[in-house]
C-alpha cells in the first residue's frame, strides 16, 4: 500500500532523512519510532505529499506522490504533529471545511462528520472556537479531521499525545478497528502503545532505519521493546 | 472549482468572525467620511462665494464632479493604506499557524488556494465600495438643488474596485512569500506607496518621461473613471496588475511545494 524507496530529505545542509526504504501492506499498523529529531515527522509529511523530498520515490496506493499528488492526497488522512486548526473557526465549521476539500458533499459529508465527531468524542465542543479548546480537544479535532471520509491510508503523527487516559484507550481501539481494511502509519514515543496496536515497527535514528521488523520479532527473546529501542538508538 | 469555493467561504467566515473586516470598515468609513465632509464643506463655501459675487458661475457647480469625483480619487489613496491590512493574513497566517498543512495534505491545488483567497478579499473590498455608496445616497436624499450623476458615480466606484482588486493581488503575493503578516503588510504597503508616488514624480518631469510615470501610477488611472470615462488603457492597467499578482502568487505556492 505504501512503498518508500531511497527517500532522502535535506533542509539546506542538514540531512533529516538519509535514504530510507520500507513497505507497508494493507491491513498493517506500522509503528514509526525513533528519538527526537530522528526524521519521523519529516518522513510522514513526505508520505502525505505535504512536503517534497530531496530524492527518492514514494508510492501510496499505487500512485507516485510526486507525480500524482492529488490521487495520493485523496486517499490519505493525515494528522500532522501540530493539529492544523484554524483558531478562528468553530469545531463544526472547521470539520465541514476539511470535509469539503476532501471532496465530501451533502449527505455523505454530514454522515462523515457525525462518524468522526462520535469516534473522537468531540460532540460537546462542536460549537466552540478552536482557539479556545484545550490541548487534548485540539488533538481530537485534528484526529477527527484525519478520519473524515474514512481514507484508505492513515498517517498519524503522535495521535494520542495530550489525550486523557480514557480517550487514549478509545483512540487506540479505534485505530485497531480501522486497521482491519486500511493501512495505518503512526509515530509515537509511547512504547506500550506500540505493543498494544502495532503489527510492525520501523525504528529510525538520525535519518536512517535501524530496525524494520514485526513486533513479535523485536520483542522476542525476552527483551522488551524499550531495551531494543535503547540499544538501537544509542551513540 | 468546488475547492476554491470552499476556501472562499472559509476565508470569508474568518474575515467576518475576527475583527479584521470590521476594523478595516471602521477605519475606512472614518477616513472617507472626513474626506467627504471636507470636500462638501469647500463645495458649500464655493457656492456661497459665487452666490454673493458671481451668480453666473453657479451653473458650473455640481456635486458629482466637485465632491464625489474628488472623493473617490482621495479614497483611492486610502486603499493604499488599508489593502495591506486586509491582505496580509491571507496566506502568511496559515503558514505560521500550521493550518497550511491541512491544505497541503488534501487534494487542493495552488490555483484553488489562490482564487479562493483572492475572492474572499475581493468580497471585503466590495463591501467597502458599498460603504462609499452611502455618500452619493446622502447627497441625493438631502440636496435641495442639483442631482447625483449616477453613471459617473458608479464608474468611479468601478475604478476604485478595480484598483483595490489590483492592490489585493499584490498583497496576496506578498502574503504568500513570508510567514510573517507584518512583513507581508510592509512589503505590500511599500509597493502600493511606490505605485502612488510615481504619480508625484511625473509632475516634475515633462514629455515622454512624464507620460511613462503617469502611466505607471495606480492613482492616475482612476482619474478617467471618476469623470465617467471608461478608457481601455485604465482597464488594461488594473487587469495587468491583477493577473501579474495572481500569477506570482500561484508560482510562489507552486514553488513551495517543491522546496
Ligand atoms: N523546516 C525545517 N527546517 C530545517 N530543519 C528541519 C525542519 N523540519 C525539521 N527539521 C530538522 O529535521 C530533523 C528531523 O526532524 P523531525 O521533525 O522529522 O523529527 P522527529 O523524528 O519527528 O522528532 P520528534 O520525535 O521530536 O517529533 C531535525 O533535526 C529537525 O531539526
Ligand atoms: Mg515529530
Amino acid at each position: 500500500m505504501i512503498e518508500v524507496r531511497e527517500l532522502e530529505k535535506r533542509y539546506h545542509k542538514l540531512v533529516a532523512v538519509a535514504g530510507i526504504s520500507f513497505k507497508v501492506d494493507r491491513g498493517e499498523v506500522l509503528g514509526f519510532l525513533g528519538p527526537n529529531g530522528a526524521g519521523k515527522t519529516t518522513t510522514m509529511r513526505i508520505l502525505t505529499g505535504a512536503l517534497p523530498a530531496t530524492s527518492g520515490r514514494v508510492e501510496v496506493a499505487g500512485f507516485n506522490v510526486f507525480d500524482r499528488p492529488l490521487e495520493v492526497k485523496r486517499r490519505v488522512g493525515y494528522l500532522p504533529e501540530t493539529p492544523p486548526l484554524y483558531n478562528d473557526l468553530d469545531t463544526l465549521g472547521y470539520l465541514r471545511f476539511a470535509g469539503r476539500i476532501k471532496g465530501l458533499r451533502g449527505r455523505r459529508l454530514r454522515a462523515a462528520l457525525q462518524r468522526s465527531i462520535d469516534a473522537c468524542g468531540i460532540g460537546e465542543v462542536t460549537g466552540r472556537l478552536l482557539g479556545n479548546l484545550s490541548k487534548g480537544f485540539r488533538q481530537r479535532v485534528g484526529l477527527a479531521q484525519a478520519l473524515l471520509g474514512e481514507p484508505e491510508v492513515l498517517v498519524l503523527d503522535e495521535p494520542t499525545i495530550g489525550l486523557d487516559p480514557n480517550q487514549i484507550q478509545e483512540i487506540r481501539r479505534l485505530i485497531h478497528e480501522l486497521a482491519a481494511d486500511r493501512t495505518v502509519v503512526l509515530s509515537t514515543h509511547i512504547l506500550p502503545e506500540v505493543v498494544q496496536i502495532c503489527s510492525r515497527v520501523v525504528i529510525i535514528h538520525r535519518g536512517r532505519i535501524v530496525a524494520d521488523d514485526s513486533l513479535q520479532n523485536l520483542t522476542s527473546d525476552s527483551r522488551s521493546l524499550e531495551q531494543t529501542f535503547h540499544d538501537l538508538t544509542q551513540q | 472549482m468546488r475547492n476554491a469555493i470552499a476556501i472562499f467561504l472559509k476565508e470569508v467566515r474568518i474575515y467576518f468572525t475576527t475583527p479584521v473586516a470590521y476594523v478595516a470598515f471602521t477605519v475606512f468609513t472614518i477616513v472617507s467620511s472626513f474626506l467627504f465632509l471636507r470636500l462638501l464643506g469647500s463645495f458649500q463655501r464655493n457656492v456661497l462665494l459665487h452666490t454673493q459675487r458671481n451668480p453666473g458661475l453657479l451653473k458650473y457647480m455640481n456635486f458629482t464632479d466637485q465632491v464625489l469625483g474628488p472623493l473617490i480619487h482621495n479614497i483611492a489613496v486610502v486603499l493604499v493604506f488599508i489593502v495591506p491590512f486586509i491582505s496580509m493574513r491571507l496566506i502568511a497566517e496559515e503558514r505560521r499557524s500550521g493550518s497550511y498543512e491541512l491544505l497541503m495534505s488534501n487534494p487542493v491545488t495552488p490555483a484553488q488556494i489562490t482564487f479562493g483567497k483572492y475572492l474572499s478579499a475581493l468580497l471585503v473590498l466590495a463591501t467597502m465600495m458599498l460603504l462609499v455608496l452611502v455618500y452619493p445616497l446622502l447627497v441625493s436624499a438631502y440636496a435641495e438643488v442639483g442631482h447625483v450623476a449616477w453613471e459617473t458615480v458608479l464608474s468611479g466606484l468601478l475604478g476604485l474596485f478595480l484598483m483595490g482588486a489590483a492592490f489585493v493581488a499584490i498583497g496576496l503575493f506578498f502574503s504568500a512569500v513570508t510567514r510573517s503578516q507584518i512583513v507581508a503588510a510592509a512589503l505590500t504597503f511599500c509597493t502600493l506607496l511606490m505605485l502612488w508616488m510615481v504619480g508625484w514624480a511625473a509632475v516634475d518631469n515633462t514629455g515622454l518621461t512624464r507620460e511613462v510615470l503617469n502611466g505607471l501610477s495606480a492613482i492616475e488611472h482612476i482619474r478617467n473613471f471618476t469623470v465617467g470615462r471608461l478608457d481601455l488603457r485604465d482597464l488594461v492597467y488594473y487587469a495587468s496588475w491583477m493577473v501579474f499578482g495572481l500569477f506570482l502568487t500561484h508560482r510562489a505556492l507552486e514553488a513551495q511545494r517543491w522546496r
Side-chain angles (χ1 to χ4, degrees), chain A residues 2 75-78 146-147 151-156 175 178 182-186:
Chain A
I2 301 178
R75 290 167 173 79
V76 177
Y78 175 43
L147 298 177
E152 291 174 56
V153 178
L154 281 170
V155 178
L156 309 173
I175 293 173
L178 287 172
R182 286 157 238 271
T183 312
V184 183
V185 176
L186 67 90

Side-chain angles (χ1 to χ4, degrees), chain B residues 22-68:
Chain B
Y22 304 107
V23 169
F25 295 157
T26 309
V27 171
F28 182 74
T29 308
I30 291 174
V31 178
S32 326
S33 301
F34 174 75
L35 294 169
F36 176 66
L37 291 177
R38 266 183 58 98
L39 287 164
L40 199 63
S42 83
F43 180 78
Q44 281 172 331
R45 266 194 312 281
N46 283 341
V47 170
L48 213 62
L49 214 66
H50 294 332
T51 329
Q52 290 163 354
R53 304 210 182 133
N54 204 342
L57 279 179
L58 272 180
K59 64 171 182 291
Y60 296 112
M61 301 294 292
N62 96 47
F63 270 126
T64 310
D65 293 346
Q66 276 144 16
V67 177
L68 297 175

Side-chain angles (χ1 to χ4, degrees), chain B residues 133-150:
Chain B
L133 211 50
V134 169
Y135 306 115
L137 284 174
L138 278 178
V139 168
S140 70
Y142 292 107
E144 280 159 10
V145 284
H147 68 288
V148 173
W150 283 104

